Amino acid sequence: MADTVVLILASAGAGVGLFAAAQLGARRDWRTAPSTALAVFLLLSALSGLDLVLDRAGAYAAAPWATGMLWVTSLGLGPAILAYVLAMTGDPEQGWTPARIARIGWPAGAGMLLVMPFFLLPVSTRLAVYTGVGADADPLAGPLQLVFVALFLAVTLGYLAAAFAVLGRHVRRVRDLFSNLEDRTLSWLRALLLVMLAAWLWGAVKSALAAGAAHEAWLDAAAAAVELAWTAAIGLFGLSQKPIYTPQTETPQVLPAAGKYARSAMPEARQVEIAARLEQAMRGQALYRDPLLSLSGLAARIGVTPNHLSQVLNEHLGQSFFDYVNRWRVEEAVARIGASDEAILAIAYEVGFNSRSTFNAAVKKHAGRPPSAFRPAA
């Protein structure tokens, strides 16, 4: 029964991965860097599911020469997900050159080379290591299983750590560039990476504990279920995710890299002047009401460069662009909530917010109470 469940779940995971990758391939933007990276990840996830199907169906026992070949491709999951994160958070015009692929993929490639001697081992040992069949009688099975686990963790956890670091920098950057962050922070991807991290750690622990013994079907079923879930979720969210940067809006190059203001010593008097000009424009023209307001757009309206405006906001006013604009929006919204019977959500949209959740969070942050608390009692 448990083996049947494993087969069903693993087959479903492989099917979902292939279907989502095919959907990406059918889109007009399939050649863009994010679509390509996501399609590769989904294909590798599908191969992982197929690997488990072949194992449980007895295919490796019938064709032992193929044992472990698909496992090698699992080392590509880490670089594929990192490539997707880099593509989504980077320059939309940057493609996948051989040099860029090599920079991202060389650790996984090195891991694959380290695995190659496994295929020179006797067939019985390879089956014992990979499927658990005869593991009790083979002294090499347990140690080699631990080597496989350690190698997989070293490669994949390194890539996940890099992906989390990139996402952290990305969130800070978009707060400096945009006044509304919906669909731009990739919070869904961060959550799924945490699920993948937990699943891979659990898989490593259970593999290490079971080293040298036959595989437990229910553990494989749990692993297949989790892999099916994250493959479906990444496919669903990835297909619906809109580009974060476009040449028509903002690009990451609007702001300099790390240490961005260290070499730009703007005089204090100039910062005060820009801050005053900014205050006058926001108060007099209510520019914050534009839900699409960006750093570049606001800089153009007050006649300064985006870099100088960002420097004034961060160093002189001590706020990100996102927080600065939303403070103005909250100020007007709170005043209107207390002075009228307009619908609170309508006010939120009119002052520039584009979602209820962002509005509620901003009011609590800048005004200390939820929006409804500012409405006078009847």
Side-chain angles (χ1 to χ4, degrees):
M1 178 63 181
D3 284 336
T4 302
V5 173
V6 172
L7 280 171
I8 293 173
L9 291 173
S11 299
V16 168
L18 289 173
F19 176 78
Q23 290 295 305
L24 283 167
R27 299 196 329 185
R28 292 182 179 180
D29 64 346
W30 71 271
R31 290 188 177 182
T32 60
S35 293
T36 303
L38 183 59
V40 170
F41 177 82
L42 290 168
L43 285 173
L44 291 173
S45 295
L47 289 178
S48 179
L50 178 60
D51 183 32
L52 191 52
V53 170
L54 294 176
D55 180 13
R56 286 297 168 178
Y60 291 137
W65 57 268
T67 303
M69 287 187 176
L70 288 181
W71 181 89
V72 175
T73 64
S74 68
L75 294 176
L77 289 169
I81 199 65
L82 176 60
Y84 177 65
V85 171
L86 289 170
M88 283 302 303
T89 61
D91 184 350
E93 299 297 314
Q94 187 176 13
W96 293 114
T97 63
R100 191 183 185 199
I101 294 172
R103 284 197 303 271
I104 296 173
W106 74 263
M112 292 177 184
L113 289 177
L114 289 175
V115 173
M116 291 301 105
F118 170 78
F119 297 101
L120 302 177
L121 295 173
V123 169
S124 59
T125 299
R126 290 167 59 189
L127 284 172
V129 171
Y130 200 70
T131 68
V133 176
D136 295 337
D138 195 316
L140 288 177
L144 285 176
Q145 285 176 344
L146 292 177
V147 169
F148 270 54
V149 169
L151 179 61
F152 180 79
L153 282 182
V155 172
T156 54
L157 295 188
Y159 279 109
L160 282 183
F164 279 119
V166 172
L167 285 173
R169 292 194 298 270
H170 166 70
V171 170
R172 292 190 293 272
R173 186 191 300 126
V174 294
R175 292 179 70 89
D176 281 334
L177 292 174
F178 300 102
S179 63
N180 277 306
L181 303 183
E182 281 72 21
D183 296 326
R184 290 193 171 105
T185 60
L186 297 176
S187 55
W188 64 268
L189 183 55
R190 184 188 298 271
L192 287 176
L193 289 181
L194 287 172
V195 172
M196 292 167 62
L197 173 62
W200 283 341
L201 286 174
W202 160 242
V205 169
K206 66 100 173 173
S207 296
L209 293 176
H215 294 181
E216 292 287 346
W218 70 271
L219 291 175
D220 286 339
V226 173
E227 190 162 344
L228 168 61
W230 88 49
T231 302
I234 288 181
L236 176 64
F237 285 105
L239 284 167
S240 60
Q241 174 67 50
K242 298 177 182 178
I244 295 170
Y245 302 108
T246 67
Q248 291 73 36
T249 55
E250 297 280 5
T251 65
Q253 286 69 38
V254 166
L255 295 177
K260 53 186 176 183
Y261 307 125
R263 300 179 183 177
S264 178
M266 189 189 306
E268 179 67 21
R270 174 63 172 163
Q271 294 194 35
V272 171
E273 176 197 343
I274 293 176
R277 195 186 307 175
L278 178 62
E279 173 94 7
Q280 182 180 12
M282 295 295 275
R283 190 174 299 281
Q285 303 176 46
L287 300 179
Y288 55 84
R289 291 179 180 172
D290 179 4
L292 300 179
L293 185 65
S294 66
L295 180 75
S296 293
L298 182 55
R301 295 294 294 270
I302 65 173
V304 300
T305 66
N307 186 29
H308 282 175
L309 176 56
S310 181
Q311 185 171 354
V312 169
L313 289 170
N314 283 270
E315 292 188 344
H316 185 71
L317 299 178
Q319 300 178 70
S320 67
F321 174 73
F322 174 78
D323 286 332
Y324 177 78
V325 174
N326 281 341
R327 180 175 61 81
W328 282 95
R329 291 169 174 167
V330 168
E331 183 179 304
E332 179 181 344
V334 166
R336 289 174 61 176
I337 291 171
S340 71
D341 58 357
E342 294 179 83
I344 291 178
L345 188 57
I347 293 175
Y349 288 138
E350 288 176 11
V351 300
F353 290 100
N354 58 8
S355 78
R356 182 195 298 270
S357 59
T358 302
F359 171 63
N360 290 338
V363 173
K364 283 186 177 181
K365 177 176 181 177
H366 294 286
R369 292 184 290 169
S372 58
F374 295 94
R375 176 130 288 173

